[in-house]
Amino acid sequence: MHHPIFVQAVRLPPTYGVGDIVRRLGQEQHGTRARSLAWQLAYIRDLIAQARFPQPLPLPVRDRATGTRTLSADVHRGSRWPRHLVDQWFEDLLPPGAAAADIAEQRAGEAIMDERARALGLHMIDGGAA
């Protein structure tokens, strides 16, 4: 059986949608019932107004009466948020030092992987001293 030494990195989309945010906040259900889209949109609008949650990227919206398209910064079904801004907002909710512990843990893991790669005779090509 073939096992690759390096697992391919997972590519995350650069943005989050409404459902992604509501799930990350643990608010996708009320009891056993799924939250309605109207509730989800209102919840995110409240987060923006009251909890300094990031604004969504401008979204082109068509006016039904005139047919003209304008960019809207309001929260809509198709709204998207830059991943890094949402991640930063969540990190700012952590107590001081929690993010530093995560960074230290990541660096320790990287050191272990580097040592294992050296033991296998592997070395970095692009980002390190080869």
Side-chain angles (χ1 to χ4, degrees):
M1 185 179 328
H2 179 271
H3 293 290
I5 294 173
F6 297 104
V7 178
Q8 186 175 7
V10 175
R11 290 210 169 138
L12 299 174
T15 59
Y16 284 114
V18 171
D20 300 320
I21 292 167
V22 172
R23 271 189 302 282
R24 188 159 177 192
L25 289 162
Q27 296 296 322
E28 69 272 19
Q29 291 190 326
H30 180 70
T32 59
R33 293 182 24 226
R35 302 266 192 191
S36 70
L37 179 62
W39 186 94
Q40 293 176 31
L41 298 177
Y43 180 61
I44 294 174
R45 285 184 189 113
D46 289 344
L47 285 173
I48 291 169
Q50 300 171 31
R52 298 175 50 190
F53 193 76
Q55 290 280 340
L57 295 168
L59 183 70
V61 176
R62 184 181 312 270
D63 184 298
R64 291 181 188 200
T66 64
T68 59
R69 291 172 57 111
T70 58
L71 290 177
S72 173
D74 190 19
V75 178
H76 298 278
R77 170 191 312 247
S79 292
R80 306 296 298 178
W81 286 260
R83 179 175 289 277
H84 71 280
L85 292 178
V86 173
D87 291 344
Q88 183 62 50
W89 185 83
F90 277 99
E91 287 176 20
D92 290 346
L93 294 177
L94 295 174
D102 289 344
I103 291 169
E105 186 175 317
Q106 179 181 349
R107 288 193 179 134
E110 290 169 354
I112 291 169
M113 288 188 290
D114 289 345
E115 183 59 38
R116 288 179 180 167
R118 276 191 293 281
L120 292 170
L122 303 172
H123 61 277
M124 282 222 164
I125 296 172
D126 287 328

